[in-house]
Amino acid sequence: MIHPYLSQHRIRDAIAKPKFQMEARRLAILYSHLCPFRSASVPSLSSIVSPSACAPQSKETFPHDCVFCQIIRGDSPAFKLYEDDMCLCILDTRPLSPGHSLIIPKSHFPSLDTTPPSVVAAMCSKVPFISNAIIKVTGADSFNLLVNNGVAAGQVIFHTHIHIIPRKAGDCLWTSESLHRRTLKVDQETSGLANRVRELLLNISEENKDQVSTLS
C-alpha cells in the first residue's frame, strides 16, 4: 500500500510548482523504489529519467555528446528502473532479450578500468536487487552480467555500464554457447602468462601503496 504522501496527485502538484521540483524528484525516486514496475501510472517521473541533482556539471566529467550523460541530465528520454545518488538503471534501447537493462554511474567514466573502485562497487552492489526484480517480471530463468570494455570487446557507448541480460533455457542467445571449450594446457606458455600477470599486478599494487603513502 503506497502512502498517501506518494500519491500521483501529490507528485503532479509538485511538478506544477517550480519551488517543489526538488521535492518532486525525491518523491519520484522513492516512488520508483517502492513500486518500480507500476511506473506507467506516473510516466512523467518514473518512466522518463529526470535530471540528477548529484551529477557532476563540468564538461570534462559530464560531456554533452555522451548519450548516457544526456539521459542523466534529462535531455534524452529513457525508461528508468532504479535510481540512487551513485547510479541509474535503465532499459537498453536495443535489447537482446525482454528486460535487458543497463546500470550506469551518474558520473562520466569512459571505461571500466578508468572507473573508481567505489563507483564500481556501488554499481555491482545493486545487481542482486535489480536482477531479481527483472527475472521475476520477465519470467526469465537466469541472467548474464556483461561489461563490454573497449572497442574490440564490443563497447559502443564510452560511458561505463553493466548489462543485465535476462535468459531463458534454450534461448541460444550467444553463438559461443554452442562452441566446445578447450582444456587449459599446463605448459610453459601458460605458466609464463600467469607469471607475467601476477608480476604486473604486484607492481601495480606496490605503485598504489607508494602513492597512498606519499599523500598521507
Side-chain angles (χ1 to χ4, degrees):
M1 183 69 180
I2 300 299
H3 193 281
Y5 186 73
L6 293 177
S7 67
Q8 297 179 36
H9 179 71
R10 179 64 183 270
I11 294 176
R12 287 168 181 165
D13 283 349
I15 298 172
K17 300 176 182 179
K19 68 179 181 178
F20 292 130
Q21 286 182 352
M22 183 58 70
E23 179 188 5
R25 198 182 81 83
R26 288 197 298 268
L27 287 173
I29 294 174
L30 183 55
Y31 185 94
S32 66
H33 291 179
L34 293 174
C35 194
F37 296 103
R38 294 174 59 188
S39 58
S41 60
V42 280
S44 60
L45 284 175
S46 293
S47 64
I48 303 299
V49 174
S50 55
S52 170
C54 60
Q57 298 300 317
S58 67
K59 185 175 181 180
E60 181 178 355
T61 57
F62 204 35
H64 293 286
D65 59 347
C66 171
V67 63
F68 288 164
C69 289
Q70 291 171 7
I71 289 172
I72 293 167
R73 287 196 304 265
D75 294 341
S76 295
F79 284 96
K80 179 181 68 176
L81 303 184
Y82 174 86
E83 180 180 14
D84 60 25
D85 288 344
M86 293 287 287
C87 59
L88 185 70
C89 180
I90 61 175
L91 289 177
D92 194 302
T93 57
R94 300 185 66 185
L96 291 171
S97 64
H100 180 172
S101 305
L102 308 172
I103 300 177
I104 60 178
K106 285 187 171 179
S107 298
H108 181 86
F109 304 101
S111 59
L112 186 66
D113 51 299
T114 62
T115 307
S118 59
V119 177
V120 175
M123 297 167 66
C124 291
S125 69
K126 303 305 182 300
V127 171
F129 171 61
I130 296 173
S131 63
N132 284 337
I134 292 173
I135 286 178
K136 287 179 181 178
V137 170
T138 60
D141 302 314
S142 312
F143 70 93
N144 283 116
L145 191 66
L146 177 68
V147 177
N148 298 324
N149 196 70
V151 176
Q155 185 176 4
V156 176
I157 299 175
F158 290 88
H159 180 129
T160 300
H161 54 288
I162 299 175
H163 295 258
I164 298 177
I165 306 171
R167 300 294 305 277
K168 292 185 178 181
D171 61 14
C172 299
L173 185 59
W174 311 119
T175 54
S176 61
E177 291 173 346
S178 62
L179 300 176
H180 294 290
R181 299 178 66 172
R182 293 174 294 180
T183 302
L184 181 67
K185 292 182 179 180
V186 182
D187 56 15
Q188 186 174 359
E189 182 179 357
T190 302
S191 178
L193 172 64
N195 287 336
R196 290 194 298 273
V197 172
R198 283 196 298 265
E199 182 179 355
L200 184 56
L201 290 174
L202 180 61
N203 291 338
I204 293 173
S205 297
E206 292 298 327
E207 289 175 2
N208 290 338
K209 287 180 181 178
D210 292 339
Q211 290 177 359
V212 172
S213 61
T214 301
L215 294 173
S216 59

